[in-house]
Amino acid sequence: MAREQRRDVDYFPHDCTHGRKMHIIETKYGNDGYASWFKLLEQLGKANNHYLDISDEMTLMFLTSVFKIDEEKTMSILSDLAKLGAIDNVLFNEHKVVYSAKFCESISDAYRKRKTEMMQYSDILTEIKLKSGQS
């Protein structure tokens, strides 16, 4: 019996320079913003298909505990990340799903030798709608 193919990664590139989005988040939230962003990337890397469904209360509670901040600040940071385009605005605001196309692009090399491909945005949207019972 064949082993199930992985849909997660053990590492991701961490750039040494940051752009405007990170500057805004770090300025507004201090180290909580900076740490939350990189902890979020770690969680996206470990997550099956590289997205987090925080409409599930347990997932949100876990993410909040990983960030080591309260839920209100977690949601505020995520909301700002969505506004800035660091995470997908539509998925976050309409489905409470955290997904970053830029992150997925940065880890695409990990999938080159795998038999399975990384899920595309449209596949993720379909999966989310199926889970929520939407057509």
Side-chain angles (χ1 to χ4, degrees):
M1 183 166 161
R3 178 170 80 169
E4 184 178 338
Q5 293 295 311
R6 291 182 62 189
R7 292 186 178 270
D8 62 359
V9 293
D10 295 323
Y11 69 93
F12 65 91
H14 178 127
D15 293 331
C16 294
T17 56
H18 305 292
R20 294 170 58 179
K21 296 170 190 173
M22 186 77 257
H23 177 77
I24 291 167
I25 293 297
E26 188 174 12
T27 299
K28 184 172 182 178
Y29 299 102
N31 281 333
D32 285 345
Y34 180 87
S36 294
W37 172 244
F38 288 103
K39 287 180 177 194
L40 177 63
L41 295 178
E42 291 167 359
Q43 293 306 307
L44 290 173
K46 292 190 282 187
N48 195 29
N49 295 317
H50 309 295
Y51 73 86
L52 300 168
D53 182 356
I54 61 169
S55 68
D56 174 62
E57 190 174 349
M58 185 80 92
T59 302
L60 178 57
M61 288 172 61
F62 178 73
L63 191 59
T64 297
S65 72
V66 167
F67 288 1
K68 299 194 181 345
I69 56 177
D70 62 51
E71 187 175 314
E72 184 179 334
K73 189 180 267 189
T74 295
M75 291 305 292
S76 182
I77 290 170
L78 292 173
S79 179
D80 283 346
L81 288 169
K83 287 176 194 170
L84 293 167
I87 62 175
D88 188 88
N89 196 24
V90 172
L91 289 177
F92 179 74
N93 287 309
E94 292 182 15
H95 303 283
K96 293 298 178 221
V97 167
V98 179
Y99 170 80
S100 171
K102 186 173 180 181
F103 173 77
C104 287
E105 182 182 313
S106 76
I107 61 168
S108 63
D109 281 351
Y111 283 83
R112 292 212 174 147
K113 293 183 181 179
R114 294 183 184 182
K115 292 180 182 176
T116 56
E117 294 182 10
M118 189 182 317
M119 282 184 82
Q120 300 302 307
Y121 181 86
S122 59
D123 300 325
I124 292 169
L125 192 54
T126 299
E127 184 172 278
I128 291 163
K129 286 182 177 182
L130 287 173
K131 283 182 183 177
S132 66
Q134 297 176 358
S135 57

